[in-house]
PDB file of all heavy atoms in Angstrom:
ATOM      1  N   LEU A 196      14.061  15.362  70.555  1.00 96.00           N
ATOM      2  CA  LEU A 196      15.319  15.982  70.137  1.00 96.00           C
ATOM      3  C   LEU A 196      15.057  16.999  69.101  1.00 96.00           C
ATOM      4  O   LEU A 196      14.259  16.759  68.164  1.00 96.00           O
ATOM      5  CB  LEU A 196      16.252  14.881  69.630  1.00 96.00           C
ATOM      6  CG  LEU A 196      16.519  13.704  70.554  1.00 96.00           C
ATOM      7  CD1 LEU A 196      17.329  12.661  69.863  1.00 96.00           C
ATOM      8  CD2 LEU A 196      17.239  14.176  71.845  1.00 96.00           C
ATOM      9  N   TYR A 197      15.713  18.114  69.148  1.00 96.00           N
ATOM     10  CA  TYR A 197      15.491  19.257  68.205  1.00 96.00           C
ATOM     11  C   TYR A 197      16.828  19.634  67.572  1.00 96.00           C
ATOM     12  O   TYR A 197      17.773  19.984  68.291  1.00 96.00           O
ATOM     13  CB  TYR A 197      14.903  20.488  68.890  1.00 96.00           C
ATOM     14  CG  TYR A 197      13.565  20.255  69.512  1.00 96.00           C
ATOM     15  CD1 TYR A 197      13.452  19.628  70.749  1.00 96.00           C
ATOM     16  CD2 TYR A 197      12.394  20.761  68.897  1.00 96.00           C
ATOM     17  CE1 TYR A 197      12.201  19.424  71.347  1.00 96.00           C
ATOM     18  CE2 TYR A 197      11.154  20.522  69.480  1.00 96.00           C
ATOM     19  CZ  TYR A 197      11.022  19.920  70.695  1.00 96.00           C
ATOM     20  OH  TYR A 197       9.840  19.739  71.296  1.00 96.00           O
ATOM     21  N   ALA A 198      16.906  19.556  66.255  1.00 96.00           N
ATOM     22  CA  ALA A 198      18.127  19.942  65.546  1.00 96.00           C
ATOM     23  C   ALA A 198      17.912  21.182  64.745  1.00 96.00           C
ATOM     24  O   ALA A 198      16.762  21.524  64.399  1.00 96.00           O
ATOM     25  CB  ALA A 198      18.618  18.800  64.676  1.00 96.00           C
ATOM     26  N   GLY A 199      18.988  21.927  64.432  1.00 96.00           N
ATOM     27  CA  GLY A 199      18.903  23.106  63.552  1.00 96.00           C
ATOM     28  C   GLY A 199      19.764  24.175  64.089  1.00 96.00           C
ATOM     29  O   GLY A 199      20.056  24.291  65.296  1.00 96.00           O
ATOM     30  N   HIS A 200      20.229  25.042  63.180  1.00 96.00           N
ATOM     31  CA  HIS A 200      21.193  26.085  63.521  1.00 96.00           C
ATOM     32  C   HIS A 200      20.641  27.129  64.443  1.00 96.00           C
ATOM     33  O   HIS A 200      21.371  27.764  65.237  1.00 96.00           O
ATOM     34  CB  HIS A 200      21.829  26.640  62.279  1.00 96.00           C
ATOM     35  CG  HIS A 200      22.742  25.684  61.576  1.00 96.00           C
ATOM     36  ND1 HIS A 200      24.111  25.700  61.822  1.00 96.00           N
ATOM     37  CD2 HIS A 200      22.518  24.655  60.789  1.00 96.00           C
ATOM     38  CE1 HIS A 200      24.636  24.743  61.139  1.00 96.00           C
ATOM     39  NE2 HIS A 200      23.738  24.043  60.462  1.00 96.00           N
ATOM     40  N   ALA A 201      19.299  27.378  64.396  1.00 96.00           N
ATOM     41  CA  ALA A 201      18.757  28.369  65.315  1.00 96.00           C
ATOM     42  C   ALA A 201      18.614  27.821  66.693  1.00 96.00           C
ATOM     43  O   ALA A 201      18.622  28.571  67.688  1.00 96.00           O
ATOM     44  CB  ALA A 201      17.418  28.865  64.759  1.00 96.00           C
ATOM     45  N   VAL A 202      18.387  26.504  66.823  1.00 97.00           N
ATOM     46  CA  VAL A 202      18.158  25.951  68.111  1.00 97.00           C
ATOM     47  C   VAL A 202      19.479  25.587  68.802  1.00 97.00           C
ATOM     48  O   VAL A 202      19.695  26.016  69.981  1.00 97.00           O
ATOM     49  CB  VAL A 202      17.277  24.627  68.008  1.00 97.00           C
ATOM     50  CG1 VAL A 202      17.171  23.930  69.304  1.00 97.00           C
ATOM     51  CG2 VAL A 202      15.953  24.949  67.420  1.00 97.00           C
ATOM     52  N   ALA A 203      20.367  24.930  68.141  1.00 97.00           N
ATOM     53  CA  ALA A 203      21.592  24.423  68.725  1.00 97.00           C
ATOM     54  C   ALA A 203      22.604  24.155  67.622  1.00 97.00           C
ATOM     55  O   ALA A 203      22.658  23.006  67.137  1.00 97.00           O
ATOM     56  CB  ALA A 203      21.389  23.193  69.570  1.00 97.00           C
ATOM     57  N   PRO A 204      23.395  25.116  67.217  1.00 96.00           N
ATOM     58  CA  PRO A 204      24.292  24.915  66.066  1.00 96.00           C
ATOM     59  C   PRO A 204      25.283  23.778  66.277  1.00 96.00           C
ATOM     60  O   PRO A 204      25.917  23.708  67.348  1.00 96.00           O
ATOM     61  CB  PRO A 204      25.063  26.234  65.968  1.00 96.00           C
ATOM     62  CG  PRO A 204      24.536  27.158  66.988  1.00 96.00           C
ATOM     63  CD  PRO A 204      23.432  26.444  67.783  1.00 96.00           C
ATOM     64  N   GLY A 205      25.237  22.784  65.341  1.00 95.00           N
ATOM     65  CA  GLY A 205      26.136  21.688  65.452  1.00 95.00           C
ATOM     66  C   GLY A 205      25.806  20.670  66.556  1.00 95.00           C
ATOM     67  O   GLY A 205      26.602  19.791  66.852  1.00 95.00           O
ATOM     68  N   GLY A 206      24.654  20.893  67.162  1.00 95.00           N
ATOM     69  CA  GLY A 206      24.284  19.929  68.230  1.00 95.00           C
ATOM     70  C   GLY A 206      22.802  19.776  68.218  1.00 95.00           C
ATOM     71  O   GLY A 206      22.183  19.767  67.166  1.00 95.00           O
ATOM     72  N   TYR A 207      22.196  19.571  69.347  1.00 96.00           N
ATOM     73  CA  TYR A 207      20.757  19.390  69.418  1.00 96.00           C
ATOM     74  C   TYR A 207      20.249  19.784  70.816  1.00 96.00           C
ATOM     75  O   TYR A 207      21.009  19.865  71.786  1.00 96.00           O
ATOM     76  CB  TYR A 207      20.319  17.964  69.060  1.00 96.00           C
ATOM     77  CG  TYR A 207      20.862  16.901  69.966  1.00 96.00           C
ATOM     78  CD1 TYR A 207      20.202  16.531  71.153  1.00 96.00           C
ATOM     79  CD2 TYR A 207      22.068  16.221  69.663  1.00 96.00           C
ATOM     80  CE1 TYR A 207      20.651  15.536  72.002  1.00 96.00           C
ATOM     81  CE2 TYR A 207      22.564  15.243  70.483  1.00 96.00           C
ATOM     82  CZ  TYR A 207      21.850  14.895  71.672  1.00 96.00           C
ATOM     83  OH  TYR A 207      22.352  13.914  72.458  1.00 96.00           O
TER      84      TYR A 207
END
Side-chain angles (χ1 to χ4, degrees):
Chain A
L196 307 173
Y197 298 78
H200 288 265
V202 174
Y207 61 88

